[in-house]
Amino acid sequence: MEGRAHPLSEALATKYALDREIGRGGMATVYLANDIKHDRQVAIKVLNLDLSQTLQGERFLREIAIAARLNHPHIVPLFDSGQADEYLYYVMPYVEGESLRDRLSRKKQLPVDEALRVSRQVAAALKHAHAQGVIHRDIKPENILLSDGEAVVADFGIARAIAEAGSQQITISGLAVGTPLYMSPEQASAKQGVDERTDIYSLGCVLYEMLAGEPPFTGATAQAVIARHLSEPARSVRIVRPQVPEQIDEVIKTALAKAPADRFATAEELASSLQTRPQVAQELFGARKAILSALVMMMVLVMAWWWNGQRSGQGPVAEGADVIAVLPFDAAGAGVEDLGDGIVALISANLDAVGAISTISPRSIFTAWRNRQGSLDLQGALGVGADLNAGSVLLGTVVAVGNEVRMAAELYGVDDRERLARADATGPNDALLEMVDTLSVRLLRDVWRSREPLPDFRLSAVSSGSIRAIRYYLRGEYHFRRAAWDSAAASLEMAVEEDSTFASAHWRLAEARAWTTYLGSAEERTPLEAAYRNRERLPSHDRVLVVARVMDMQGDITAIDSLQAYVGQHPYDAEGWFLLADLMVHGMPVTAQSWEDIWSAFDRALELSPSMSRAIIHPLHLSALAGDEQRYEDYLRKLAPLSREADQFAVWKDALWGAEGASESALARALAIPPTGTNTPLVDAVLQSATLGPEPVVRAFETAAAQVPAGTRERVAFETQRVKALTAFGRVAETLRPSEQISLVDPDLAATLAIETSIATGSRSPFLDEGLAHLAGRAEEDPLAGLWLAWWEMSRGDYPAATERAQAALQRAQAESSEAGQTLAKATIDWLAGAETGTGGRLDQLEIALRGVGYPPRDAGRPPPGPGPLWYVWERTAVEHPRHRLYAIERLKYSRAAGQYTTARLLLLGSALEISGDTIPAADVYRRAVRLLSTADDDVRRRFVPVEEALSRPTEPGSRYSPPHAPRPSLRTGPADAQITSPDVVGVYVIEVRGEERTHLRTR
């Protein structure tokens, strides 16, 4: 065997001689070997070690034995199976030839007859297997082998064996059994009772790919594909390849029906439908078929030659007109000065998604236009089109003379500068929408190349019937493009007063208000919700962003996935990049997103829009948390000319990296700035840095708090930070005084801080009893109060009491329609439900529950508590569990929300690294924790004696650890489709750990 010998080589030496690796996939590796007894070549498929250890070996082998009974010429038989050195394996004959995937890689589309023949042979194999009660569950080109012109299907019964042998563990961990590109809706949504019709659906996907050159549903990652399987009908294969007979197109549509009952009932029915396809010449002309077929072919070729001579281009529209960049029109005359920018949005919305046409996002247009200094000549316009990868650019004019307005536009190909279309429209100045619609239709007629009639499309797509509302909207667009946020908001408010259903105006108003307040503010939320209610009237570009923002507001982590897909399609949209990066920051408590990835997304937004000051704030936070002084300085330099907030960040820089005496002084000045969302992460950075040490930090907090009158909200904010700092330093006894100050104004907050202090340190807060009593009195009316009591009981290991509290909280949350309360209560109940299944089961349950929580939805009024206690309990347990330790390390390194858990989580990270053999970085983390605890209460210090013992042990070189700001290993959530329409599925995401994809679906 080439390279390092596989552990199985020795274990199987008496039966098989392993030669070399011949294939590798997400769950297994295939080796070519020699069957010693029978002197024949075989293929041995070895399940990956992580998967083998997850499965119940005996049950896997028992289940796979069922597939060994299959005996059919189009099925690869199973020779042998077993377990050796923790690896599960099975043995098949070595099939000479190639897989269907290899064939499709070389030749994207297969001849129709060949595709039908392969499909019939696979259907015959399925018929035989289904009759034996065996469902394949993973029909795909990789599992269809082509040998001597015949198709044979491999891996029958393997998917079922994995699912059955994995039992509860596989179900909980979310391991995807199947391949998303070919997975039926019922299989993707993990429904019970999947039957043979799932294989029929998968074969329909394979047939579609053989004919069209791509599967019926594609996407950036697995969950985006699954979402489309669940919600979208497959487009006709004849759109991609008109030569496919209508009869076959109908067969594919039936095989791909969403409901199993609407598909072919059996593989035999599917095979029968594929037996013959219409042979028109044979039916009409009988014995003279050869001559007449030739004549027919000649006529077709002549007609094709004539048609192509009449029309340039190969597709339904002229070459280049499939991707259009609508540039700002040149506007002149009274009353139309501010229409030039607005025309971009109107015409782009009209033409986007009409037939094969797509238009570049207006945001991308204006960014690229500014980068080119707004040159209106043809050369500058073509340069913008090239920058945006557009096929053509649309230039135009709007001229007002008296009460009449004339519009004219010309479409030019980017590559050849050829004029593809020209159109104009004239009308009174109160008929703007009609003129835009007329111009759009005339342009479309000029570029249409298909013999099909013009498709129906939505005119006035920006979409208001009020000309006054449209004019206010366009004026708002004019101000928005020039970063005049207040003026933009004023015009847009007038637009929505004129038309309360004007979705585009509501969305733009939400964006303008976010610039002057913050994302998630009440001022932004109201118009955002109005835009969402009327989202069907939005252009497709904006609809994705609105849906993603609302998903974010509801705590749905897959909002990140939607925006990742969006910026992939619209890479020049600065606002899209900013929203993606901002949501990635919000989602860090769940995704443990790489800081490098977040910085990159913000940097892309700043590259496209250098004046976007909002895109600098979070990068500064992360730079501070990472201890990256140079990066912090770079972002601070960018912020200085844009915002007065730069002065505050400069003070924090001195606190974090100044000389020791200066740092304490700078920290006192920094803390004198009232706590906000801007400086809370910087407080965390101070606590985690351990540069000052506990005493200077505690003194600075005391000084800052004493300068603010007691009994005020400002004092509460200071004292809250003080409690978190004291907890991080293990000085639990000193939290009493600030807790009493907080309790005067917000007793709920004081009580929850006492609980978290007690959980984080293992030492009872002096305010704990009073806090618990307060929450017990509030639990009847506030579901969140009941949840905090449940979390306290859970942290003590009293699962029955915690379950009772959580169930009561859920009932109250349902009665009050509190989304946040319901989401958090369900996560808690899910965790507790797994408490009796053993450590691994509890961890699986809680991980899925917490990923389902995302970042909790924001009920009106105040944000809910994050599930900090839940995550900390999970991390504390996961560090000791091999299957979850990797993700625990990623969370502990990248999740920025630390606060009072700062030291506790450092200790967990050190422990996890030490267990993993990364002793050098573990020692570094331990030293930071020990320094933070240098002035801790005796009770707290006694709990961390093992840390000092660990520091006395020798360390080893060759660490696998990377610093917090380095790219993390492959652990991700991937893009999801924001347009999921299934009533049950509300989110789909994939986690990839060590090459293994785990697909999760969140259901109502």
Side-chain angles (χ1 to χ4, degrees), residues 850-933:
L850 290 176
R851 287 179 179 277
V853 167
Y855 30 95
R858 305 173 183 88
D859 289 338
R862 62 187 176 111
L870 289 175
W871 270 121
Y872 178 65
V873 170
W874 185 90
E875 291 162 347
R876 193 171 61 189
T877 313
V879 163
E880 305 296 331
H881 200 276
R883 188 152 57 86
H884 295 271
R885 190 177 299 126
L886 174 64
Y887 178 49
I889 290 174
E890 297 308 301
R891 281 194 46 77
L892 292 165
K893 283 166 56 179
Y894 290 112
S895 178
R896 72 185 178 95
Q900 58 267 62
Y901 296 100
T902 294
T903 309
R905 296 177 83 239
L906 277 175
L907 292 165
L908 286 179
L909 176 58
S911 176
L913 291 169
E914 184 183 11
I915 293 170
S916 300
D918 293 332
T919 55
I920 292 177
D924 176 64
V925 172
Y926 281 148
R927 288 189 191 98
R928 292 170 60 199
V930 167
R931 183 173 184 187
L932 292 176
L933 292 170

Side-chain angles (χ1 to χ4, degrees), residues 51-95:
L51 179 57
S52 293
Q53 291 176 339
T54 303
L55 303 176
Q56 300 172 23
E58 292 183 4
R59 186 163 186 180
F60 173 82
L61 298 174
R62 186 168 63 248
E63 291 291 338
I64 203 174
I66 298 173
R69 299 198 300 263
L70 299 179
N71 182 17
H72 191 273
H74 293 298
I75 294 178
V76 178
L78 185 68
F79 284 166
D80 191 10
S81 60
Q83 183 172 11
D85 287 345
E86 299 185 274
Y87 287 90
L88 291 166
Y89 67 90
Y90 54 97
V91 183
M92 308 169 291
Y94 173 64
V95 179

